[in-house]
Amino acid sequence: MSEVVSVVLSGGSGSRLWPLSRKSHPKPYIPLPDGETLIQKTLSRVLKARPKDTVLTVTNREYYFLTRDSFNAYGKTHPDDAAPFRYLLEPSGRNTAPAMACAALWAQQTCGADTVLLFMPADHIVPEIDAFAEATRKAVEMAQKGELVTFGVQPTAPETGFGYIQIGTALPPGFRVSRFVEKPDEATAQAYVDSGEYLWNSGIFCMRADALLQAMQTHAPEVLAAAQAAWDEAREFGDAWELGGSFAQAPDISIDYAIMEKATDVAVIPSEFSWNDLGAWGAYAQLLEPDADGNRLLAPESLVEDTHNCIVHSPHRLTALLGVEDLLVADTPDALLIADKSRDQEVRVLVDALKARRHQSYDINPTMHRPWGTYTVLEEGDRFKMKRIVVKPGEKLSLQMHHHRSEHWIVVSGTALVHVGGTEKLVMTNESTFIPAGTAHRLSNPGVIDLVLIEVQSGAYLGEDDIVRFDDVYGRVEQGSPAA
Amino acid sequence: MSEVVSVVLSGGSGSRLWPLSRKSHPKPYIPLPDGETLIQKTLSRVLKARPKDTVLTVTNREYYFLTRDSFNAYGKTHPDDAAPFRYLLEPSGRNTAPAMACAALWAQQTCGADTVLLFMPADHIVPEIDAFAEATRKAVEMAQKGELVTFGVQPTAPETGFGYIQIGTALPPGFRVSRFVEKPDEATAQAYVDSGEYLWNSGIFCMRADALLQAMQTHAPEVLAAAQAAWDEAREFGDAWELGGSFAQAPDISIDYAIMEKATDVAVIPSEFSWNDLGAWGAYAQLLEPDADGNRLLAPESLVEDTHNCIVHSPHRLTALLGVEDLLVADTPDALLIADKSRDQEVRVLVDALKARRHQSYDINPTMHRPWGTYTVLEEGDRFKMKRIVVKPGEKLSLQMHHHRSEHWIVVSGTALVHVGGTEKLVMTNESTFIPAGTAHRLSNPGVIDLVLIEVQSGAYLGEDDIVRFDDVYGRVEQGSPAA
């Protein structure tokens, strides 16, 4: 039996969930109402369905540390599910076909050409794990015979936001695919549902690496060529491979368009699990229980008066509603959205407008993830900026210097080891220290618990680009990656 | 000719303008869209109508420094309008009758019993200053003869939120009042407007001190008794008189109920000026120009898509609106209100609910005024709280100590003189220092420009009540007033 690798495809920003999702903090990494993220749920599901199989995650290189932290945290709390975690890092987003081609090239080289790859997006919710595991078992069985296998979901409504698959002749344990159909209009979708011949196209696939590469060679050779070049240029470090710049030459194309709609050896497994891709706020709201007035509130400080059928996400502030209905309210520290909730698909239009305006709220989340931990911008004002910084045990920031700002560090929890101007000292909880402009400095956490500190920057210029890096344990001196 | 004193009545919190107004930051002190506050506009108006006359402000003692700062700032930029500013401070709010009685007692003692008092609320907008000045001139003329004079405004709509005055026989330059009517229903209000015999009751009055006190003795002796006792107990310091605790014994009653509706020597001056008492958000919105879609926006970062006839106050955050109409959105750093704009009168209900819940947003504004300057709570989190502190030139905080928190001061602008544990040092711009828990300390601004600093408190308990005051130049050691 050939090896099976679970491949998590973690691309896409989920712009219809703005302002909760951002380009730099996309949908798979958003905490859901139960506290878990979609990528944690995906990992948990795949490890239950395919225990011990290697998990390869294909994601943008910007999300590597975020993903790895998330997976390592899961591994620590679930030692019995331990599986090797590997990462394939994209320099830019290029849709599913190039990502899957690179995963197949990685598998061919590191596991063998007959490796079976079980591809799944990182942003699905699938409550029925047993049904998912059963579908997976059938898909692997078919894929081992060389079929390109897709997972079809029994439609429960005439959704116009999904693609559909028409079932063909039986091919146990699944069916041959008769044809793929793009997002239909509502009448067509209703006809599909009524016919009983159509399934939703779930975006979950299973195929042998060599079968996928062969199909690419036949139907999308330009995708394969770019993927091959990017793989040949890949830099390996530890558990991750960073694809080379040629990746950007690959066409931005989905696996459906590139292969599935053209190939002949395509099979479908009808699946019994339900499925929520959290495509927009309406889908997110399904995770919240409605109150007696139909309001779905994630707003611990809310005050609601004569208000009906609203969706409110406001975890951190007092939000008062008076005499309104059918609104979507999404409140985040730096941006507020108020919309007619029936128009949640159009939130994407707002994000495009923000991007055109170069407004940072389309990209930056107040909390940014770094290899050593996180920082959250709390406040910016005239001549000052404040951050809450969390440094993980044993981690250290780069040795750095700023020309235009002094930095003040107040230790709120844990212990900091501070190198400043050639000397080093420990700064304990409730103590503080400051780094004058022009002085080389480094911050590290020598302890065994998180170091939490408040950084206050003061000076006339406070841009993230005022940084000179002398040394960085995460290799960021050469790359010129973003802020420490 | 007897002396004329302009009396500004600055009570009331304006709870229907929540969350912009708070109990501790009431309506007269809110910056309007043009940057000026209502109390500044009131002062400017009264000094143009009555130049050089003493201005006595009756307000809660909590607003003394806020009012004085505001008036002194006006005085500096308008040296030609200079007039003596005096303050009469209430220990608690008791409506207009007790406040006006105390003002008359103050005038009787400090200026003479025949002093003419021109009373006006601090929260009106009166654009036509010349018309206001002309009405004032007439009112003073009548008051000097002993009449109790009220200002009537020509009604422009059948408003149900105002009281009405029926005009009686001519009494040049005004009219005898036939009767006062409380807030009528809409049909009655329409009949009043159509009749031409009624004016809106503006809440502006003019009367001689002795005439007012005489009328009080006749019609509201219990108000006068409490006012007299509070005045007898008053503490004088500099430009202010703080009324004694007996003030709390006065009935909470308006001057209309207490005197005007009962007395016979009551006259009205029909006034030509227009008038906005900024009673609720709808009135506030009149200060904003509508855009082509009827939206009135004070929201520099707003993003508005297919949205009509909304009112948005969101000066500091990105606010995106999609497909909504007739909404009122008021966004402040710690509280958000979203309401059907036709229900702005009901905002008061929300405030009452917050008060019942003891939620601090009904009371506390993120920026608090103190004798020495201001502080703004920027962020609170686990084990830390951050404030932006502004200390005026030459001012100093109390000598104090905290048991449970250390404080870290980062100077963003200006120079700080810091006493800590018996030593003192200068902390310059972009430098910082910290005060360990249990150490006596004092902060002052020895310079000639504002000192701006960021304070980060760290510790397990961060309540404002963890403060021991040893010495305070504003006399707050005995009084136990709120935080330094």
Side-chain angles (χ1 to χ4, degrees), chain B residues 323-334:
Chain B
V324 293
E325 54 190 28
D326 294 322
L327 289 185
L328 156 64
V329 176
D331 183 45
T332 65
D334 62 340

Side-chain angles (χ1 to χ4, degrees), chain A residues 18 300-307 314 317-324 327 329 331-340 343-344 346-347 349-351 353-354 357 359 361 378-379 382-384 386-388 404 406-413 429-436 452 454-460, chain B residues 18 300-307 314 317-324 327 329 331-340 343-344 346-347 349-351 353-354 357 359 361 378-379 382-384 386-388 404 406-413 429-436 452 454-460:
Chain A
W18 182 88
E301 287 191 271
S302 61
L303 182 62
V304 171
E305 187 75 25
D306 190 19
T307 286
S314 179
R317 283 207 312 165
L318 172 68
T319 298
L321 299 170
L322 169 64
V324 294
L327 288 186
V329 176
D331 182 44
T332 66
D334 62 340
L336 167 66
L337 168 66
I338 302 170
D340 179 319
R343 298 178 66 169
D344 62 347
E346 292 170 60
V347 171
V349 175
L350 299 178
V351 175
L354 288 172
R357 253 194 222 185
H359 193 285
S361 74
L378 300 175
E379 188 79 24
D382 184 33
R383 292 184 57 90
F384 73 90
M386 297 180 184
K387 295 177 176 176
R388 181 173 184 271
H404 305 292
S406 57
E407 291 184 341
H408 309 259
W409 292 336
I410 297 104
V411 177
V412 168
S413 176
T429 300
N430 296 339
E431 292 184 348
S432 61
T433 190
F434 88 91
I435 318 292
V452 181
I454 302 299
E455 174 178 281
V456 182
Q457 303 175 357
S458 60
Chain B
W18 182 88
E301 288 191 272
S302 63
L303 181 63
V304 171
E305 187 76 26
D306 190 19
T307 287
S314 179
R317 285 205 314 163
L318 172 68
T319 298
L321 299 171
L322 169 65
V324 293
L327 289 185
V329 176
D331 183 45
T332 65
D334 62 340
L336 167 66
L337 168 66
I338 302 171
D340 179 318
R343 298 178 66 169
D344 62 346
E346 291 171 61
V347 171
V349 176
L350 299 177
V351 175
L354 289 171
R357 251 194 222 186
H359 193 286
S361 72
L378 300 174
E379 188 80 25
D382 185 32
R383 294 184 56 87
F384 73 90
M386 297 180 183
K387 295 177 177 177
R388 181 171 184 273
H404 304 294
S406 56
E407 291 184 340
H408 308 259
W409 293 336
I410 297 105
V411 177
V412 168
S413 177
T429 300
N430 297 339
E431 293 184 345
S432 62
T433 190
F434 89 93
I435 318 293
V452 181
I454 302 300
E455 174 177 281
V456 182
Q457 304 175 355
S458 61

